[in-house]
Amino acid sequence: MILKIFKGEVLKQKTPCLVLGVLEGKLKDSLLLLLDKELGGTFSAAVRSHEFTARKGQTLLLHSGQGQGVKRVLFCGLGKEKDISLHSLRQTASSVSRLLAEKQLANFLLALPQVPVKKSSLAERVQAVAEGVQLANYRYDRYLGEKPAGQPIDLDKIGLLIAAKDSSAEAEEAVAAAEAIAAGVCFARDLVNAPGNLKSPEYLAMQAVAMAERVGISAKLLNRDALERQGFGAMLGVARGSERDPYLIVLEYRGGSKGQKPIALVGKGVVFDAGGISLKPAEKMDEMKMDMAGAAAVLGAMQAAAGLQLPVNLVAVVPAVENMPSGTALRPGDILRSLSGKTIEVLNTDAEGRLILADALTYVGRYQPRVVIDLATLTGACIIALGNHAAAVLGNHDGLIRQLLKAGERSGEKLWQLPLWEEYATQIKGDFADIKNTGGRPAGTITAAAFLQKFADKYTWAHLDIAGMAWEERGCAGQPKGGTGFGVRVLIEYLRGGLK
Ligand code: BES
Ligand code: MN
Ligand code: ZN
């Protein structure tokens, strides 16, 4: 797909389909009146009959009946002006792209960058629209034979129309940024969607190394031997149940000055979570191939950061393992010695994410990071708390959490803070070891974070529980069923925002 910036009057464009955003209550705008004339009064007729009210999400497709210029117009309702945000603009761009792809239209022109979004720059609007289009064009269809009829087609040439007064250079730069970010999101989606039989820890490591080579950043792997030598006892404990070797993936991107301490990103990389001996129920166990979505987000963000050439130093650490039941697997009651030296009583082998993250969080301390952010599909309790609309954020530094919350709002990847008061730590105090890996059912997301906190005590740290956000179950407008790539955009927004 090619995204291109166009400039000039709406009525003078040549396109199979012009997409125009319409505000509720502004159906008699001068441009709309002119267009209505071109369309032989069919637009005003649809308005008069209340077929089209410009309610958010509503669309109206009209043919001009003329061979030249604009062949069709897709009017899309934006709702009330006060409700429009960059996020809703991105969603609109996504859903109209999907709609037109389903109508087998692969070339169209979006006038959406001109939608009035409060306090937004042209670059932000163009980026939002361009991201929306590209993410709508994503599909994981490599294992499908013939595509069923009526499937959306791949988008081809998409134009973004800016106003005469706008800067083409600014808009083009924003398209390039959107392309780098969307590529990171799609890379993350591909990793999450990959089936478990293909997706061993080694596969994840190889994908990370290949990506690092592609974008020119450095990569290093610690294999089982290295992990044993260095004492990654918690991570190795989880890996014991699987035939597949664990890997610690470490990537470094240096876009900042030489002496600048890095920002560290840590991602849970459980390629398949069967639960171990504390086996999960069969229903929906297939979805547990997504238990490396934190890792995918971190890898996608590294790719995007390199693509954007962000002026910052980054280190990414991904513990990659498989959590399986077997004769060699961890038993409930086992005690592990973690890399930090702290001992852990494993009460439930299905609480494996915090075990591998404990060692990864200890390891990343060696880089003397100024900030550490981990992302993990850590607890089912997070889905109970926040559903599929926001990820939980917890940490040991309010300033960092505030920045992340803001990045969440701006990117549309919403975060919501949960408290991490010290009272919660009493739930995970060990009986036979320093700490236990579950704190019972109450406040499951918080006690999981309280567990991680014990291993993140040497730096500024935040944890994102993305359990409810990593996987789209049904598939909706602009978001196909499967991996969402959640986390890439909020991380990039945070990294870019911190630089402004
Ligand atoms: N990977 C799961 C959490 C999860 C569940 C993510 C559903 C996405 C969707 C995690 O490893 C897990 O099993 N957590 C347990 C912890 C419990 C045993 C303390 C859980 O949430 O039930
Ligand atoms: Mn689990
Ligand atoms: Zn898990």
Side-chain angles (χ1 to χ4, degrees):
M1 179 192 30
I2 301 170
L3 274 166
K4 221 176 133 195
I5 297 292
F6 289 88
K7 200 168 175 172
E9 276 176 52
V10 169
L11 288 171
K12 294 214 175 114
Q13 304 303 312
K14 242 185 114 170
T15 176
C17 184
L18 171 73
V19 178
L20 201 67
V22 186
L23 290 162
E24 212 172 325
K26 292 211 173 158
L27 292 157
K28 289 199 175 129
D29 176 278
S30 57
L31 175 63
L32 289 174
L33 294 179
L34 280 174
L35 262 174
D36 185 43
K37 233 187 225 159
E38 297 271 315
L39 296 166
T42 48
F43 175 72
S44 52
V47 169
R48 266 197 311 278
S49 65
H50 303 290
E51 219 170 295
F52 186 75
T53 60
R55 200 176 61 234
K56 189 176 178 225
Q58 202 182 37
T59 55
L60 174 71
L61 182 63
L62 297 176
H63 285 246
S64 72
Q66 289 158 357
Q68 309 291 320
V70 173
K71 291 201 176 145
R72 304 172 186 75
V73 183
L74 179 68
F75 297 92
C76 50
L78 300 168
K80 301 213 169 65
E81 188 163 354
K82 66 170 176 47
D83 298 329
I84 296 175
S85 63
L86 287 171
H87 180 51
S88 71
L89 188 61
R90 185 186 300 99
Q91 280 179 323
T92 300
S94 256
S95 48
V96 298
S97 298
R98 266 269 146 162
L99 181 76
L100 292 174
E102 273 162 23
K103 292 188 189 292
Q104 313 298 305
L105 273 166
N107 302 305
F108 46 86
L109 179 65
L110 300 161
L112 293 173
Q114 299 182 48
V115 167
V117 181
K118 284 174 300 283
K119 284 191 236 153
S120 68
S121 65
L122 172 71
E124 286 173 320
R125 293 191 303 275
V126 169
Q127 186 190 319
V129 174
E131 277 177 11
V133 174
Q134 291 179 93
L135 295 176
N137 198 36
Y138 176 85
R139 266 180 293 283
Y140 190 78
D141 53 9
R142 63 194 68 181
Y143 295 108
L144 287 172
E146 218 154 285
K147 288 189 194 163
Q151 278 276 96
I153 56 168
D154 290 335
L155 300 181
D156 180 22
K157 291 196 193 87
I158 310 302
L160 304 182
L161 187 65
I162 61 175
K165 63 170 175 33
D166 291 334
S167 150
S168 301
E170 185 183 344
E172 271 152 21
E173 208 174 301
V175 167
E179 279 169 344
I181 295 167
V185 176
C186 292
F187 178 58
R189 288 181 179 179
D190 276 348
L191 291 176
V192 172
N193 287 331
N197 50 341
L198 177 71
K199 190 166 56 187
S200 60
E202 186 185 2
Y203 172 88
L204 196 59
M206 291 310 150
Q207 291 295 310
V209 169
M211 178 273 284
E213 273 170 15
R214 242 179 1 251
V215 301
I217 64 179
S218 72
K220 151 176 111 172
L221 300 177
L222 302 194
N223 63 11
R224 185 190 288 276
D225 277 354
L227 295 169
E228 275 169 5
R229 268 200 312 277
Q230 297 193 35
F232 283 70
M235 181 178 166
L236 287 165
V238 176
R240 248 172 39 198
S242 171
E243 302 260 340
R244 293 159 155 185
D245 275 345
Y247 284 89
L248 190 81
I249 305 165
V250 185
L251 304 184
E252 275 186 80
Y253 164 71
R254 291 189 204 84
S257 61
K258 231 178 165 186
Q260 189 193 60
K261 289 182 174 178
I263 293 176
L265 306 175
V266 175
K268 171 178 173 181
V270 175
V271 294
F272 186 71
D273 181 12
I277 295 298
S278 314
L279 192 64
K280 285 187 182 295
E283 201 197 338
K284 289 199 181 173
M285 205 204 267
D286 59 290
E287 286 182 11
M288 281 301 127
K289 70 174 185 179
M290 60 77 126
D291 210 17
M292 36 55 71
V298 164
L299 296 174
M302 290 299 277
Q303 172 178 318
L308 292 165
Q309 296 185 289
L310 294 186
V312 64
N313 292 333
L314 297 175
V315 54
V317 174
V318 168
V321 300
E322 184 174 44
N323 189 25
M324 296 290 260
S326 81
T328 58
L330 273 181
R331 290 154 286 253
D334 282 3
I335 293 177
L336 300 172
R337 184 175 297 278
S338 68
L339 182 64
S340 71
K342 289 190 180 78
T343 54
I344 304 167
E345 197 178 338
V346 180
L347 293 186
N348 189 320
T349 66
D350 198 10
E352 84 298 337
R354 62 198 78 182
L355 296 174
I356 66 169
L357 288 171
D359 283 351
L361 288 170
T362 304
Y363 178 80
V364 83
R366 296 183 191 176
Y367 290 84
Q368 296 191 301
R370 64 183 150 115
V371 162
V372 178
I373 304 168
D374 80 72
L375 286 86
T377 47
L378 204 62
T379 63
C382 190
I383 310 176
I384 304 300
L386 298 174
N388 307 105
H389 303 292
V393 57
L394 308 93
N396 62 12
H397 190 282
D398 278 336
L400 172 60
I401 290 177
R402 253 196 318 275
Q403 285 179 306
L404 285 167
L405 288 169
K406 202 169 143 223
E409 256 167 53
R410 295 181 60 85
S411 66
E413 291 194 332
K414 292 197 200 71
L415 308 180
W416 194 255
Q417 184 179 10
L418 296 180
L420 196 46
W421 296 308
E422 61 190 32
E423 287 88 331
Y424 291 104
T426 58
Q427 280 174 246
I428 49 162
K429 222 184 123 20
D431 300 310
F432 302 106
D434 298 331
I435 186 172
K436 54 189 183 192
N437 82 329
T438 67
R441 279 170 60 86
T445 302
I446 301 178
T447 55
F451 180 97
L452 299 181
Q453 188 176 22
K454 302 275 184 212
F455 301 87
D457 53 349
K458 299 201 171 59
Y459 43 67
T460 299
W461 158 79
H463 158 66
L464 271 52
D465 193 331
I466 62 169
M469 303 306 293
W471 186 260
E472 169 62 48
E473 209 171 313
R474 281 153 306 191
C476 59
Q479 183 101 295
K481 176 173 174 146
T484 60
F486 183 96
V488 174
R489 291 193 304 101
V490 64
L491 282 176
I492 293 297
E493 186 62 37
Y494 163 75
L495 292 172
R496 289 176 103 191
L499 307 170
K500 272 174 211 156

